[in-house]
Amino acid sequence: GTTLYIAGTFTFAGGQTRNRLAAIDTTIATNNATAFDPAPNGAVYGLLLSGTTLYVGGGFTTIGGQTRNRIAALNT
C-alpha cells in the first residue's frame, strides 16, 4: 500500500510528534505522518499488519488510550 508503519524509540516522525509508533504516507514527497497516533507508553518491538488491523507487541501497558499489556490490535 501507501502507508509505512514504523516503530522505535523516536518522539518525532514524518514532521509530527509521534511516540514510538507512527504511520507514514509514502504517496507524498515529504513523507508526512498520517493521523494514526496510538502513542504507546513503552517500547514497540514487533508489528504485523493483517488487512486493516495492526498487531503490536512490546513493553507498553497503554496504547491508543487503552490499557493493553504488551500486545494490542489496532484499527489502522
Side-chain angles (χ1 to χ4, degrees), residues 26-76:
T26 62
T27 63
I28 301 171
T30 57
N31 295 321
N32 290 332
T34 69
F36 180 79
D37 187 15
N41 70 340
V44 173
Y45 302 125
L47 302 174
L48 173 69
L49 182 64
S50 179
T52 60
T53 303
L54 181 66
Y55 297 94
V56 181
F60 54 85
T61 56
T62 62
I63 188 168
Q66 302 292 318
T67 299
R68 297 290 183 267
N69 289 311
R70 296 172 183 75
I71 193 163
L74 304 172
N75 185 349
T76 59

